């Protein structure tokens, strides 16, 4: 169960750290205001000396398949309604304590979309963490340009202080909506982003309600993501990439065009879902200054796509009008 995974986290983390099965890299957090958002930049010089440990042959270079390193293996999860199975593992290279992930038991590709079962498991873990006095958001890097580090499908859970939220989530929370069940965009951001607010009582839903609500929200945003990509005539065919991240209140999808952003002086910075949640990771003081000077908004726009939200909204409205005009008058009141 999700609550058991969350309950085991502290003990498993300490054991993995003590045994050196897990590497913790100390970082310093720097705040940087841009686009009326207080972004976070984590400076972690130790990542320049990240240890390279050869994987045993029997792992087939897939750290998310058995046999698992015992101290990194938090436990297993099974969705009784669908029989889908997952493994929960600690992130071997951590810059924040208790950063963990879930992966599909059977190999599935990191280029595949999140399934209804994936979404339910993610949300149940977030709820279990909150009930245990912990605070996480989940993220999924999908596709070649998303910043994904492994081909085996996995979703990561990033810890926050109990009373804090990710920087971009603050922007989403401040957004007033006339129709909460419809997708929206965060207009202050210079790149395409698609957001859906989740029902406030969703933690009390049963499986069928959770599956229906989360699946509908995800498919709405995925449709908008695909539509955004189709507006870019230079986007490579069959290379769909996006970042998805999930809190208890919102689901975010961001279409991606490039995996790295070229900074000046020949340096590049890789961006994954964490960057679009408002947290970037740099490895040196010089890279920190380059990021600040370049501007985080410019960097995120550089690896994302141009927003076509207004065109999408107008297109949806036009489709609705077409539907109304082709509907018998006595049926219009039911639309």
């Amino acid at each position: 169960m999700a609550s058991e995974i969350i309950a085991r986290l502290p003990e498993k983390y300490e054991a993995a750290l003590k045994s050196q099965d897990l590497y913790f890299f100390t970082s310093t957090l720097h705040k940087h205001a841009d686009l009326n958002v207080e972004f976070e930049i984590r400076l972690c010089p130790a990542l320049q000396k990240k240890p390279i440990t050869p994987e045993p042959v029997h792992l087939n270079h897939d750290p998310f398949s058995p046999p698992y390193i015992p101290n990194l293996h938090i436990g297993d999860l099974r969705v009784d309604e669908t029989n889908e199975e997952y493994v929960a593992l600690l992130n071997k290279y951590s810059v924040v304590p208790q950063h963990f992930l879930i992966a599909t038991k059977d190999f599935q590709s990191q280029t595949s979309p999140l399934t209804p079962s994936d979404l339910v498991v993610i949300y149940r873990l977030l709820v279990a963490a909150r009930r245990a006095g912990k605070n996480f958001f989940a993220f999924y890097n999908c596709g070649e340009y998303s910043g994904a580090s492994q081909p085996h499908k996995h979703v990561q859970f990033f810890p926050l202080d109990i009373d804090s939220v990710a920087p971009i989530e603050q922007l989403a929370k401040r957004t007033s909506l006339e129709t909460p069940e419809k997708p929206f965009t965060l207009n202050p951001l210079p790149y395409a982003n698609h957001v859906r607010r989740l029902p406030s009582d969703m933690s009390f839903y049963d499986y069928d309600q959770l599956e229906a609500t989360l699946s509908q929200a995800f498919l709405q945003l995925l449709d908008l993501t695909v539509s955004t990509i189709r507006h870019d005539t230079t986007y490579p065919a069959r290379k769909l990439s996006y970042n998805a991240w999930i809190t208890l209140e919102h689901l975010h999808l961001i279409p991606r065009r490039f995996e790295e952003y070229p900074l000046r002086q020949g340096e590049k910075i890789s961006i994954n879902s964490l960057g679009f949640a408002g947290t970037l990771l740099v490895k040196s003081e010089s890279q920190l200054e380059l990021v600040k000077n370049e501007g985080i908004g410019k960097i995120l726009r550089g690896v994302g796509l141009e927003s076509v939200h207004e065109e999408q909204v107008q297109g949806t409205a036009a489709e609705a009008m077409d539907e109304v005009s082709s509907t018998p008058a006595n049926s219009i009141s039911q639309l």
Side-chain angles (χ1 to χ4, degrees):
M1 289 179 60
S3 58
E4 294 172 352
I5 297 297
I6 299 300
R8 292 176 192 149
L9 261 176
E11 181 180 355
K12 295 294 292 188
Y13 174 79
E14 292 301 327
L17 192 62
K18 185 176 180 179
S19 65
Q20 296 187 336
D21 288 322
L22 179 151
Y23 297 95
F24 176 71
F25 302 97
T26 302
S27 62
T28 55
L29 193 62
H30 299 257
K31 303 285 188 177
H32 183 69
D34 192 6
L35 306 171
N36 293 319
V37 175
E38 192 171 44
F39 286 95
E40 298 177 347
I41 308 174
R42 284 193 173 272
L43 170 60
C44 188
L47 284 177
Q48 297 179 78
K49 301 178 182 178
K50 182 177 175 180
I52 301 175
T53 54
E55 299 288 354
V57 173
H58 60 263
L59 284 182
N60 294 321
H61 304 291
D62 181 359
F64 304 149
S65 291
Y68 308 114
I69 298 173
N71 284 326
L72 297 181
H73 182 204
I74 306 168
D76 298 329
L77 290 160
R78 182 173 180 272
V79 180
D80 292 334
E81 292 84 355
T82 63
N83 294 322
E84 291 196 48
E85 295 182 311
Y86 304 84
V87 58
L89 301 166
L90 286 164
N91 182 11
K92 184 170 184 173
Y93 303 103
S94 296
V95 296
V96 290
Q98 299 183 34
H99 179 175
F100 75 100
L101 60 91
I102 60 168
T104 54
K105 265 296 186 69
D106 296 328
F107 180 86
Q108 294 179 30
S109 173
Q110 191 75 3
T111 62
S112 61
L114 295 171
T115 67
S117 290
D118 295 341
L119 292 163
V120 170
V121 168
I122 292 166
Y123 193 81
R124 284 177 170 173
L125 281 164
L126 294 176
V127 170
R130 182 59 60 88
R131 289 174 176 169
K134 297 180 182 294
N135 185 18
F136 289 85
F137 69 85
F139 65 90
Y140 180 56
N141 303 319
C142 183
E144 182 178 336
Y145 308 130
S146 68
S149 59
Q150 294 288 339
H152 188 147
K153 189 179 191 182
H154 64 286
V155 176
Q156 301 185 56
F157 292 77
F158 193 80
L160 300 169
D161 293 338
I162 189 60
D163 57 350
S164 67
V165 298
I168 299 300
E169 180 72 353
Q170 294 180 10
L171 195 60
K173 287 167 69 73
R174 294 197 300 264
T175 302
S176 297
L177 301 177
E178 293 183 4
T179 312
E181 66 271 15
K182 290 186 177 180
F184 62 100
T185 190
L186 301 175
N187 287 315
L189 303 178
Y191 51 85
N193 66 91
H194 306 293
V195 191
R196 169 69 191 271
R197 185 160 292 166
L198 302 175
S200 59
D201 61 346
M202 204 166 72
S203 61
F204 300 104
Y205 285 12
D206 62 22
Y207 178 84
D208 289 339
Q209 292 172 303
L210 268 182
E211 181 190 64
T213 304
L214 289 167
S215 296
Q216 180 196 45
F218 181 76
L219 288 174
Q220 285 177 330
L221 299 189
L222 188 59
D223 282 346
L224 288 168
T225 295
V226 172
S227 170
T228 301
I229 287 173
R230 284 176 176 166
H231 275 78
D232 184 344
T233 58
T234 67
Y235 200 95
R238 295 182 294 279
K239 293 285 187 178
L240 175 65
S241 292
Y242 57 88
N243 293 119
W245 59 284
I246 307 169
T247 71
L248 290 174
E249 296 184 56
H250 294 96
L251 172 59
H252 303 249
L253 255 69
I254 299 92
R256 291 292 301 274
R257 180 64 180 83
F258 298 102
E259 195 271 333
E260 294 179 320
Y261 182 86
L263 297 167
R264 290 189 295 273
Q265 301 178 10
E267 290 197 53
K268 295 181 180 180
I269 182 170
S270 178
I271 305 292
N272 65 11
S273 295
L274 279 178
F276 285 99
T279 299
L280 277 69
L281 184 66
V282 297
K283 301 179 183 181
S284 66
E285 290 278 0
S286 63
Q287 196 174 59
L288 173 65
E289 292 307 312
L290 286 172
V291 167
K292 288 181 177 180
N293 292 335
E294 192 75 1
I296 294 177
K298 183 178 178 182
I299 290 172
L300 296 179
R301 172 61 186 90
V303 296
L305 278 82
E306 180 181 0
S307 176
V308 290
H309 182 76
E310 293 305 318
E311 291 93 325
Q312 290 169 328
V313 169
Q314 291 170 6
T316 302
E319 289 172 7
M321 289 302 296
D322 288 344
E323 183 177 348
V324 169
S325 64
S326 63
T327 303
N330 60 2
S331 301
I332 291 178
S333 62
Q334 300 174 15
L335 291 176

